[in-house]
């Protein structure tokens, strides 16, 4: 390719210095894409406006502390603000998101970054906002569905209608798993311009680490059965089911990695079940520290009610740790071999326990689990993404 394709990555799901793990999976795909040398990118990652930075306001304070502009891993990232009113916010979010971002995007064009296409992530509200921006600027756009943007928001009348419009307007509709692509086609997306670009796994950041050493670093006993549950502390991630599972495993220990509104509820649940001394609430951890938690565990347990493509599954496997997960959405595409782990066909404690028992009875070697994860490199995804961008611009 004689000239690099200029893309504008547009998404509210992108990390910042104030929220370093927020949407890190979007940044990871971009970093892998940039390694191809065929693309150059700037990022516009809008943030809801909030006036106060005091830590008492939690996630809102971190959003307020997000800089307007920063350089992350050699990429210029812009964080314009948009006003998201309570109660009615869901239905008007795409419009205020587009209105808040357009001045910044127009300034980038005036300053010389006249990008070729918009690469949006998360269909609602981000993809709908990208459709508005693309129409106003006369640019093509593609959008990647990542999970709840389709599986959840399609259930609401206004988001459903707006998502359908964005699917029709886009130059390509991408899903991180085939289940999401099928759902987009059900919503009216043209099958000919809908494709799967699965996430890979960073095989350098996530590597096999000696389990004894990992446990020593985390203060865990050397011989116990150790489980880890990683994700935002909300109902959909199922940490409460893993705590209940722990109550059926008298000698086991559990590490819960993540932060969120369910923290106190989960802590109270552990107390009421009498397992509080065997549960570690590790909080949110930097991405580069996760390999110690994965490596210390005998299994990652992900009891989600819905998932697009759960990156934590591949991250654990890359560290040699097999998984137990619920059979939802794209998860069967990730856990497709006994080397990877086991799936619970029903989202309840009994089926999670059955899947864990089956895994422990035929426990794979670390090298086998790692070899399976290595099948999910980024090379194919990067190649397909470059080809997609080229074809979109050729058809312009």
């Amino acid at each position: 390719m004689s000239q690099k394709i200029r893309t504008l990555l547009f998404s509210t799901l992108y990390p910042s210095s104030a929220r370093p793990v927020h949407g890190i999976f979007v940044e990871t795909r971009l970093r892998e894409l940039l390694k191809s040398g065929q693309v150059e990118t700037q990022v516009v990652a809008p943030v809801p406006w909030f006036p106060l930075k005091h830590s008492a306001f939690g996630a809102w304070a971190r959003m307020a502390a997000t800089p307007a502009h920063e350089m992350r891993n050699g990429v210029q990232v812009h964080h314009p603000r948009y006003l998201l009113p309570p109660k009615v916010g869901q239905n008007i979010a795409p419009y205020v998101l587009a209105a808040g971002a357009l001045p910044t995007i127009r300034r980038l064009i005036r300053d010389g970054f006249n990008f070729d296409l918009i690469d949006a992530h998360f269909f609602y509200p981000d993809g709908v906002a990208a459709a508005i921006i693309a129409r106003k600027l006369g640019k093509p756009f593609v959008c990647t569905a990542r999970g709840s943007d389709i599986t959840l928001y399609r259930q609401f009348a206004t988001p459903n209608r707006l998502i359908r419009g964005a699917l029709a307007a886009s130059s390509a509709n991408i899903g991180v798993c085939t289940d999401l692509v099928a759902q987009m086609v059900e919503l009216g997306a043209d099958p000919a311009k809908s494709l799967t670009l699965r996430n890979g796994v960073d095989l350098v950041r996530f590597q096999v680490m000696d389990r004894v050493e990992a446990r020593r670093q985390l203060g865990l006993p050397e011989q116990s059965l150790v489980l880890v549950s990683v994700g935002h502390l909300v109902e959909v991630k199922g940490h409460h089911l893993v705590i209940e599972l722990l109550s059926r495993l008298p000698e086991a220990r559990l590490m819960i990695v993540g932060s969120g509104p369910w923290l106190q509820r989960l802590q109270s649940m552990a107390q009421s079940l009498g397992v509080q001394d065997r549960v570690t609430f590790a909080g949110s951890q930097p991405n580069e520290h996760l390999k110690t938690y994965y490596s210390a565990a005998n299994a990652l347990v992900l009891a989600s009610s819905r998932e697009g493509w759960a990156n934590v599954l591949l991250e654990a496997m890359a560290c040699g740790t097999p998984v137990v997960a619920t059979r939802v959405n794209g998860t069967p595409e990730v856990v497709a071999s006994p080397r990877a782990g086991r799936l619970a066909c029903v989202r309840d404690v009994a089926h999670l326990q059955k899947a864990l028992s089956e895994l422990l009875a035929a426990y794979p070697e670390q090298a086998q689990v790692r070899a399976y994860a290595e099948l999910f490199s980024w090379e194919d995804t990067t190649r397909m993404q470059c080809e997609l961008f080229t074809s979109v611009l050729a058809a312009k």
Side-chain angles (χ1 to χ4, degrees):
M1 185 176 298
S2 59
Q3 186 174 347
K4 288 185 179 182
I5 297 172
R6 284 184 163 191
T7 71
L8 181 80
L9 191 150
F10 179 81
S11 182
T12 58
L13 290 176
Y14 203 85
S16 69
S17 54
R19 297 187 294 168
V21 300
H22 175 73
I24 196 164
F25 43 87
V26 176
E27 183 186 43
T28 299
R29 193 170 95 175
L30 175 62
R31 290 175 66 182
E32 294 296 327
L33 176 64
L34 292 175
K35 289 178 184 178
S36 72
Q38 298 182 46
V39 175
E40 62 176 298
T41 301
Q42 291 196 37
V43 175
V44 173
V47 176
W49 177 83
F50 190 73
L52 302 172
K53 300 179 182 179
H54 193 281
S55 60
F57 293 97
W60 285 99
R62 290 190 290 275
M63 286 187 279
T66 303
H69 172 265
E70 61 185 332
M71 189 75 76
R72 281 186 60 86
N73 299 303
V75 177
Q76 292 195 55
V77 183
H78 310 268
H79 296 289
R81 269 36 179 193
Y82 65 101
L83 186 62
L84 191 63
K87 296 185 180 180
V88 297
Q90 175 174 289
N91 289 341
I92 68 168
Y95 303 103
V96 295
L97 182 55
L102 264 168
T104 295
I105 296 172
R106 286 192 166 115
R107 176 176 54 78
L108 293 181
I109 295 172
R110 289 196 305 271
D111 290 347
F113 190 72
N114 191 14
F115 53 89
D116 301 303
L117 62 83
I118 298 172
D119 175 22
H121 292 253
F122 209 73
F123 254 95
Y124 197 85
D126 308 40
V128 178
I132 297 170
I133 294 167
R135 184 175 66 250
K136 289 182 177 293
L137 298 179
K139 303 283 188 180
F141 83 100
V142 303
C143 188
T144 297
R146 294 192 161 273
S148 60
D149 51 341
I150 298 296
T151 61
L152 175 63
Y153 285 108
R154 66 178 297 181
Q155 301 173 36
F156 302 99
T158 297
N160 183 299
R161 175 175 56 83
L162 294 175
I163 289 169
R164 287 174 181 270
L167 289 168
S170 68
S171 296
N173 302 306
I174 302 165
V176 292
C177 63
T178 58
D179 177 79
L180 282 174
V181 173
Q183 291 191 54
M184 288 190 289
V185 171
E186 286 177 7
L187 288 168
D190 181 354
K193 64 173 187 179
S194 303
L195 73 158
T196 303
L197 287 180
R198 68 186 191 184
N199 286 344
V201 61
D202 188 332
L203 296 168
V204 175
R205 174 168 289 179
F206 299 101
Q207 294 189 14
V208 175
M209 180 178 176
D210 180 73
R211 184 163 289 155
V212 173
E213 173 59 19
R215 291 186 177 189
R216 186 194 66 77
Q217 290 186 23
L218 297 175
L220 295 169
E222 186 175 320
Q223 298 300 324
S224 295
L225 172 65
V226 176
L227 307 177
V228 63
S229 183
V230 179
H232 197 46
L233 304 188
V234 290
E235 193 282 336
V236 69
K237 291 299 182 182
H239 301 290
H240 58 293
L241 296 175
V242 189
I243 292 174
E244 189 176 344
L245 172 64
L246 184 71
S247 70
R248 301 186 180 192
L249 305 169
E251 303 304 320
R253 298 186 64 88
L254 170 63
M255 301 178 291
I256 296 179
V257 180
S259 59
W262 266 46
L263 175 59
Q264 290 186 346
R265 184 180 301 200
L266 294 171
Q267 289 173 330
S268 296
M269 182 179 182
Q271 184 88 25
S272 66
L273 291 173
V275 298
Q276 69 276 8
D277 293 336
R278 295 190 285 125
V279 181
T280 299
F281 290 92
S284 182
Q285 293 292 322
N287 203 243
E288 58 270 20
H289 292 177
L290 287 176
K291 73 173 183 179
T292 307
Y293 290 87
Y294 292 134
S295 298
N298 298 97
L300 168 79
V301 183
L302 183 66
S304 302
S305 60
R306 62 176 185 270
E307 286 287 351
W309 182 273
N311 297 297
V312 296
L313 297 172
L314 284 177
E315 291 169 359
M317 295 174 203
C319 297
T321 300
V323 306
V324 169
T326 41
R327 185 181 289 275
V328 294
N329 304 117
T331 298
E333 299 173 46
V334 187
V335 188
S337 165
R339 290 184 294 163
R342 297 293 188 278
L343 294 176
C345 58
V346 177
R347 189 191 186 228
D348 62 24
V349 177
H351 285 84
L352 288 168
Q353 186 173 12
K354 180 176 182 290
L356 178 61
S357 297
E358 291 173 356
L359 173 64
L360 296 176
Y363 195 74
E365 295 180 0
Q366 280 185 320
Q368 291 179 311
V369 183
R370 168 71 184 194
Y372 178 83
E374 289 173 351
L375 299 174
F376 295 83
S377 74
W378 279 101
E379 291 180 7
D380 287 344
T381 296
T382 296
R383 174 184 54 77
M384 292 172 65
Q385 195 170 3
C386 289
E387 292 173 354
L388 172 65
F389 290 168
T390 301
S391 66
V392 166
L393 295 178
K396 185 176 167 184

